[in-house]
Every structure is written in structure tokens, then in C-alpha cells.
Amino acid sequence: MRLLIAVVTLLVAGAGTAVPALAQTKVVVGWCSRTISSATTPFAIATRMGWYKAEGIAVELVPLPGSGDCVKNVATREVMAALPSVEPLAVGRPQGIKAKIFYTAYQGNIYGIAVPADSPVQKFSDLKGKNIGVIAMGSAGVLIARALAATNGLNPDKDINVVVAGEGAQTAALLRAKQVDALSQYDTQYALVENAGVKLRVLDTKDIDRYPSNGFLALEETIKNKRREMVALAKGYAMGTVFAIANPEAAVRILYEVYPATKATGKDEATAIRDDVKVLQARIVNWKLEKAGVKKWGGRTPRRTTPRIRTSCSSGASSKKRSTGVTSSPTS
């Protein structure tokens, strides 16, 4: 941690250093959630510190319903890059989507099944006949829920009901009303639900817990022809990640400055910061390199990826050998 803080100090000290002016290339990035939460702090920090500007890019985040939508928007060139989970790409590549994940952002698994803390549900098989809420039908949570149903002896088409539960306070309201019994969402969404007053308990995720989650995705031709922009995007994000890990509260304050709409209304500033730091801490756990045992930001151990893809696609996808579309970072 001392080394991490030292690195951040050097980064901040260098933020005011004069750099040659570069023409700014707009890089539109798909954020795979409708909510711009404190999990986006690396983008805000890289923007505020001038790191993106120094590399000649200006990053614009576009909220999208889920990882599936992010992959589709990259494929149709609506966005230059996105930050989805690996599963929708594994499904999309056999359909002709020539894209790759070139930087692993979340070294740990962010997904899992959560239930209210007082729920009688103790294991996934207890969810037979129950409603499982996802943020959107384009979310990777759909694939995760179906895959876990299959690996736990249930028929994903008949034994579970996957329904849209929205995000944050909306999700919490549906849980209180018992319109959904469980959630197939992810770390920061669970923190948002708890901030809205519903305590959660995450079921055992040993089947997928060892594998990485989201990373930067772009078309193969974009990675080749826009390499400078993709490297700059990943580099700034990595620097912002280091800063946020070392000083979460400062990261949240920068987030409010760069993306003012992220600051909650109806809360005093101390409460807003406390709640958003809680959300950020949920993501920090899965940013850290030690979670995966890798040594470079954006790095990935290849053998950790394929089993998770197989697990998530096990609920009916073809078992034919396929390319996963996961590669090493262009910064390496």
C-alpha cells in the first residue's frame, strides 16, 4: 500500500507538468450500466488530472443497459470501445463480431447471485420457480443466472424466471415488495441496493469466483488502426484506478466534479460521499492485481478466462471450440 500511495503521489505531482498539446480525438466508450456510479472514477480521475488530454484523447462515457448491449454497440460502431464482461463476446464472436478484449479492468469476478439477508434461500437450487432480477435483459447477469441454473441441476428455461429489476433504489423496492426473490447483478449494484436500505447476502460463487470480469473491448480493426487511442484509453484508466484505490474519498470528489449528475440529490454531502465510497470499495476489491495474481494493470492469465466462459455458456450454447476474443493489453 505504501508503494501504491507513492505511485499516486508521483502521478498527481506530474499532473501539472506542461506537455505538448495534441489534437484531441474523441473516444466514445460504452459504460455497461444505465447508472454512472462511483465505479467510473478512473475515467473521471484521468480526465480531471489531464492524463487523457496529454495523450491526445477526450473520453465520453455512454451509459448502456448491459454488457450485451455494449458488445452490440461496439459491433455497430456506435461506440469505439466498451467495458463489458467476457460472456457476451464469447457468444457474439461465432456470430461474426470481430472484436477483442484488450485490457482486463476487473481482475476478480464481480458477478454473483444475491438474496435479501433474511431470505430462506441458502443455495442456488433453492431458487427453483423463483424470480431472479437483472438490471436489463442485455446484461451479462442473464447469462450468469442461466449458467448457474444449469450447473446446479436446474433447467434455465423452465426452473427459473429471469426478470428486469432495474438498478439501485428500483431494485431495492422490488425486493421489499417481494416481486423478485434474488438478483443476478454485480458488486457495485449490490452496494447501491444496500445504500437504498435492503441488506443482501451473496450466495456461494465458487463456480465463477476465480475468473476475471470486464475489460476494454474494441473491434479488431479499431485496435489495429486506432492503437494510439486504445493505448491512451487503457493507460489513463489504469492510472485512475491506482489513484482511486489509494484515496477513494478524493476519487469520489473528483467524480462529482467531472460527472456532476453522479452526486445524489436529497443527501447531505457527507452522506453522499460515504455511500459512494462504499460503492467504490465494492469495486476496488476486484480491481486489485493480487486478486488474480497478475503483475501488470490490464493483464490476464489466459487459463483463468476460458473456464468461466464455458460455465456461462453451458446453458445451451454450442460446445464447438470457439475463439473467446480475449487478448493481452496493447499497453504491454
Side-chain angles (χ1 to χ4, degrees):
M1 179 55 73
R2 289 179 180 175
L3 176 60
L4 188 61
I5 294 172
V7 170
V8 172
T9 301
L10 289 173
L11 293 177
V12 174
T17 303
V19 295
L22 295 175
Q24 300 294 295
T25 299
K26 185 178 180 180
V27 177
V28 180
V29 178
W31 176 250
C32 310
S33 171
R34 289 191 177 96
T35 302
I36 301 291
S37 71
S38 56
T40 62
T41 51
F43 296 106
I45 293 164
T47 298
R48 173 64 180 81
M49 294 298 183
W51 298 332
Y52 280 147
K53 185 177 182 180
E55 296 291 337
I57 66 172
V59 174
E60 177 186 340
L61 290 185
V62 176
L64 295 168
S67 288
D69 296 275
C70 274
V71 173
K72 290 176 184 176
N73 275 263
V74 167
T76 58
R77 305 174 193 276
E78 296 297 318
V79 297
M80 187 181 296
L83 198 58
S85 66
V86 296
E87 292 81 14
L89 177 60
V91 173
R93 280 186 68 87
Q95 299 171 1
I97 297 178
K98 296 181 179 180
K100 288 185 177 181
I101 289 177
F102 61 86
Y103 176 100
T104 300
Y106 311 157
Q107 293 295 344
N109 169 53
I110 67 171
Y111 294 93
I113 305 299
V115 297
D118 59 356
S119 170
V121 172
Q122 297 298 319
K123 56 187 182 301
F124 193 95
S125 58
D126 294 339
L127 291 172
K128 184 174 183 179
K130 304 294 186 181
N131 292 333
I132 301 177
V134 295
I135 64 172
M137 295 310 289
S139 167
V142 176
L143 295 174
I144 296 294
R146 290 176 57 82
L148 289 175
T151 57
N152 283 276
L154 301 181
N155 183 326
D157 294 318
K158 297 179 180 180
D159 292 336
I160 60 170
N161 305 312
V162 177
V163 299
V164 175
E167 303 182 24
Q170 180 185 1
T171 304
L174 291 175
L175 286 168
R176 287 193 194 93
K178 301 190 183 303
Q179 293 183 35
V180 293
D181 304 288
L183 303 174
S184 181
Q185 299 186 1
Y186 46 86
D187 53 7
T188 54
Q189 286 297 327
Y190 294 152
L192 288 169
V193 171
E194 292 202 335
N195 284 347
V198 177
K199 295 297 181 183
L200 298 174
R201 171 168 46 85
V202 178
L203 301 185
D204 183 8
T205 56
K206 65 179 182 297
D207 291 333
I208 58 175
D209 209 31
R210 294 175 294 135
Y211 308 117
S213 299
N214 303 35
F216 280 120
L217 169 84
L219 292 173
E220 292 176 7
E221 66 178 79
T222 300
I223 296 172
K224 178 181 178 181
N225 299 331
K226 299 283 187 180
R227 180 180 175 83
R228 179 184 70 82
E229 289 85 353
M230 295 300 96
V231 170
L233 174 65
K235 180 181 177 182
Y237 184 90
M239 293 167 70
T241 300
V242 172
F243 183 107
I245 291 172
N247 198 331
E249 183 173 329
V252 169
R253 292 182 184 278
I254 290 172
L255 176 77
Y256 293 165
E257 181 180 346
V258 177
Y259 304 127
T262 60
K263 187 175 182 179
T265 58
K267 296 180 181 179
D268 61 78
E269 183 164 321
T271 301
I273 290 174
R274 181 200 66 200
D275 287 350
D276 282 329
V277 166
K278 178 181 178 180
V279 174
L280 180 56
Q281 292 284 12
R283 181 55 48 83
I284 283 174
V285 172
N286 292 305
W287 276 337
K288 292 182 176 181
L289 298 182
E290 53 264 36
K291 186 79 174 185
V294 298
K295 296 182 179 180
K296 291 184 178 181
W297 294 102
R300 167 181 270 132
T301 304
R303 64 179 177 270
R304 293 176 62 241
T305 304
T306 304
R308 173 173 158 156
I309 292 173
R310 287 176 180 166
T311 299
S312 66
C313 295
S314 65
S315 58
S318 170
S319 60
K320 185 178 179 180
K321 187 176 181 180
R322 69 186 70 189
S323 169
T324 62
V326 177
T327 187
S328 59
S329 168
T331 61
S332 62

